Amino acid sequence: MKPEETVREQKRMGLGMMVLAWITLLGLGALFFSDALERQFNPNRELETRYSEAGVREVVLQRNRYGHYVTSGEINGHPVTFMLDTGATGVAIPDAVAQRLGIARGRAYRTQTANGTAVSYAATLDSVAVGNIVLHNVQAGIAPGMGIEEVLLGMSFLKHIEFTQRGDSLILRQYAPPS
């Protein structure tokens, strides 16, 4: 190989390595910023449950940057993202999420939403959990028209929980059943 060809080959390899380094750097940056945006939307991805001596379970949620309480949780043992909605009568599950979780549609009924009247389908959830606060046999509605991935955690769950808002925190408490 001539010296000029060796120099050209080395330049080509150097350029290839530089392109590879930039692609790697951009990929890592995208992962970092994607995680940062997710933390801003759902600051409650990892919940800690506190227990009192009286058996009270307590979970503290932080408000997200948009003013909503969004948290990770579970329906029937499967992970979901909840958005707490005290204005919702029940737990409202987007159709795509219900299909992913294998929740069957029950009878159809009309619901009044912020966008007008819609059709939802009744469902009973075996369990709904936020941290270690767990309720069983929770009434829910499967809402085909919901264009979001978050499950609205409404009053069919929240009415069994004491909740108190202080500043940017919402404290959920579940009392031990009487013996």
Side-chain angles (χ1 to χ4, degrees):
M1 205 182 258
K2 295 181 183 176
E4 306 89 42
E5 290 176 2
T6 304
V7 169
R8 262 189 261 142
E9 184 64 29
Q10 288 174 344
K11 283 184 178 181
R12 211 176 3 248
M13 284 184 63
L15 180 62
M17 293 300 281
M18 189 168 56
V19 167
L20 184 61
W22 274 107
I23 289 172
T24 303
L25 184 63
L26 288 171
L28 290 173
L31 283 174
F32 172 78
F33 286 111
S34 172
D35 188 56
L37 288 173
E38 175 60 26
R39 268 184 272 127
Q40 286 181 355
F41 179 73
N42 181 2
N44 304 298
R45 292 188 295 170
E46 297 174 18
L47 295 177
E48 178 183 327
T49 304
R50 301 185 293 213
Y51 297 89
S52 74
E53 290 179 20
V56 177
R57 293 179 181 147
E58 187 175 272
V59 173
V60 179
L61 303 178
Q62 298 302 311
R63 187 186 335 225
N64 72 11
R65 70 178 298 197
Y66 308 105
H68 302 287
Y69 290 102
V70 175
T71 184
S72 298
E74 292 183 353
I75 291 178
N76 299 344
H78 299 284
V80 295
T81 301
F82 290 119
M83 181 178 295
L84 277 69
D85 186 354
T86 58
T89 304
V91 175
I93 306 170
D95 193 47
V97 174
Q99 287 180 23
R100 178 173 53 88
L101 300 178
I103 300 170
R105 288 181 174 189
R107 66 171 174 75
Y109 64 94
R110 293 205 170 283
T111 57
Q112 190 61 40
T113 71
N115 292 326
T117 303
V119 174
S120 291
Y121 298 89
T124 300
L125 307 175
D126 294 332
S127 65
V128 176
V130 175
N132 288 341
I133 294 176
V134 181
L135 293 177
H136 297 280
N137 298 317
V138 177
Q139 296 304 306
I142 299 171
M146 286 178 67
I148 59 175
E149 285 295 312
E150 295 77 37
V151 174
L152 297 182
L153 192 59
M155 293 307 293
S156 63
F157 177 88
L158 295 172
K159 70 183 178 186
H160 301 286
I161 305 296
E162 177 183 283
F163 51 99
T164 308
Q165 183 175 353
R166 291 202 177 109
D168 286 341
S169 297
L170 185 68
I171 303 164
L172 304 177
R173 285 188 193 89
Q174 182 182 35
Y175 292 90
S179 311

